[in-house]
């Protein structure tokens, strides 16, 4: 993590990196504008009628632009992300390996 001054913060890590710019303290919180990149993987195991104990893996690359605010005991965020390189595959081979198109994702939330 690199903080060259009071405004910039560089978290140049893998699989999720982020560059943030401090906008200031207002509305009872510290607000940041950021750009982030992420290699994202999720894997699940489940039972179904055709193949008991099937395993599914989903992976993609994400590039996001967002704003976050820190309010002490909670923080909020909203971001727009471009998702590319999506891949979906499962152990049973049914359906076979799928390539999913690029997408735009908008998300926001509150973390306690």
């Amino acid at each position: 993590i690199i903080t060259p001054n009071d405004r910039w913060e560089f978290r140049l890590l893998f699989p999720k990196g982020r560059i943030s710019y401090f906008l200031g303290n207002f509305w009872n919180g510290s607000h940041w504008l950021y750009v982030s990149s992420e290699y994202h993987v999720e894997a699940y195991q489940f039972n179904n009628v055709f193949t008991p104990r099937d395993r599914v893996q989903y992976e993609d690359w994400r590039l996001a632009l967002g704003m976050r605010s820190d309010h002490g005991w909670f923080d909020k965020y909203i971001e727009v992300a471009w998702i590319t390189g999506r891949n979906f595959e499962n152990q049973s081979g049914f359906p076979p390996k799928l390539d999913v198109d690029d997408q735009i994702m908008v998300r926001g939330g509150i973390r306690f």
Side-chain angles (χ1 to χ4, degrees), residues 28 32 35 75 78:
N28 298 322
W32 299 80
V35 61
D75 65 333
I78 186 164

Side-chain angles (χ1 to χ4, degrees), residues 15 17 36-42 58-64 79 81-86 105 107:
S36 68
S37 64
E38 176 182 2
Y39 175 66
H40 183 82
V41 178
E42 295 179 20
Y58 175 81
E59 63 182 332
D60 59 36
W61 291 90
R62 299 176 180 186
L63 181 62
E79 67 183 18
W82 176 52
I83 305 172
T84 187
R86 298 172 85 185
M105 174 175 64
R107 66 180 173 178

Side-chain angles (χ1 to χ4, degrees), residues 79-92:
E79 67 183 18
V80 176
W82 176 52
I83 305 172
T84 187
R86 298 172 85 185
N87 185 20
F88 174 86
E89 60 184 281
N90 61 7
Q91 182 182 21
S92 69

